[in-house]
Amino acid sequence: RVGVHGAPVAEAERRLRRLVVAQRLQAVVSDKHVAPLRDKCATALAAGLESDLLADAEAMLARRSAAVEELRAAVASEDEVSLRLALAQARAAGVQKGTLQEARTTLRRVTTKRTLAKAVSGMDEVALRLSLSRAREYNIQNRKVSEAEGALRRISAINELAEAVCGTDETALSRAIAQAKDAGVQANTLQEADRRLRRLTATRELSDAVDKGDLDV
């Protein structure tokens, strides 16, 4: 029977523990999760592991932690350029998907606000409807949303006004003019509609007079 001394056994056990720790550390590094990586780095240090793997893991942990901080700052700032850069850096550093998702949601909110402002300035009905739909999806409520809703009402009122001006329905034109005024349509746009309404009114009154025989010969 071969006797086994305590010191060699203890050394073998330490080496085995270091090997297990190294394997687990490698698995966590591949998994790209910050919290488990931090825990395994601490375990590796406690086990006395000294290797390039530990150094790489610590460097990766530092990069990810820095990327997370940059991402949080970008989310707080709601700056589109900062968000895009921080997201790219965070993805490259292997930041968790849950952390990235919050930043992506913020970025979509920011881009929605920008496209909303552009749609308002361009009075683009399709773009306004799409941007407002996205704004509601992300629960955005600000001055630009109110402006977009007002612009959409003006576009709708102008379309109805244009249709009424081309028609012969005095009541429909009168109603369209009133709606256009309520929607804030500019006065110069209303002038032609007012002239058309006066002509329709005069034509109707003349027709009524003819029918009643009230015309002076």
Side-chain angles (χ1 to χ4, degrees):
R1 203 178 155 187
V2 180
V4 180
H5 298 290
V9 171
E11 178 61 25
E13 289 176 345
R14 282 195 294 272
R15 289 181 178 178
L16 179 60
R17 284 197 300 272
R18 290 175 184 174
L19 178 60
V20 171
V21 169
Q23 289 174 339
R24 290 177 178 173
L25 186 60
Q26 178 65 60
V28 174
V29 167
S30 301
D31 192 44
K32 296 184 177 180
H33 280 65
V34 174
L37 179 58
R38 185 181 293 111
D39 294 339
K40 294 303 179 185
C41 282
T43 303
L45 287 170
L49 182 65
E50 295 180 3
S51 67
D52 292 340
L53 177 60
L54 178 56
D56 291 344
E58 289 176 330
M60 184 179 293
L61 176 59
R63 286 196 300 272
R64 290 179 192 169
S65 297
V68 168
E69 290 304 314
E70 288 288 335
L71 200 58
R72 287 173 178 166
V75 167
S77 72
E78 292 196 348
D79 179 78
E80 185 174 351
V81 174
S82 298
L83 278 164
R84 291 188 184 280
L85 289 174
L87 273 168
Q89 292 171 353
R91 283 194 297 267
V95 174
Q96 291 179 344
K97 290 182 179 179
T99 305
L100 293 174
Q101 186 57 43
E102 180 187 358
R104 289 191 184 106
T105 300
T106 301
L107 179 59
R108 284 193 289 268
R109 286 171 55 86
V110 170
T111 55
T112 295
K113 290 178 182 178
R114 175 174 53 76
T115 55
L116 194 61
K118 184 177 179 181
V120 169
S121 62
M123 290 292 282
D124 185 329
E125 184 176 5
V126 174
L128 278 167
R129 292 188 184 280
L130 180 59
S131 297
L132 279 172
S133 176
R134 288 178 178 170
R136 295 186 187 104
E137 180 182 350
Y138 295 115
N139 197 30
I140 298 173
Q141 291 294 335
N142 61 11
R143 181 173 56 84
K144 285 299 179 185
V145 172
S146 299
E147 289 179 2
E149 290 171 341
L152 199 55
R153 284 194 298 271
R154 286 194 297 276
I155 290 172
S156 178
I158 289 170
N159 289 339
E160 289 187 20
L161 190 62
E163 184 177 351
V165 165
C166 293
T168 58
D169 188 329
E170 183 183 348
T171 301
L173 179 55
S174 179
R175 183 171 59 249
I177 290 173
Q179 290 175 346
K181 289 178 179 177
D182 289 341
V185 175
Q186 294 181 354
N188 57 356
T189 304
L190 294 169
Q191 288 176 355
E192 178 59 32
D194 285 330
R195 285 194 291 269
R196 175 62 174 166
L197 179 60
R198 287 194 296 271
R199 287 196 295 270
L200 287 176
T201 301
T203 300
R204 175 182 54 78
E205 290 175 348
L206 181 60
S207 178
D208 289 345
V210 169
D211 290 341
K212 294 178 181 178
D214 291 340
L215 286 177
D216 294 329
V217 181

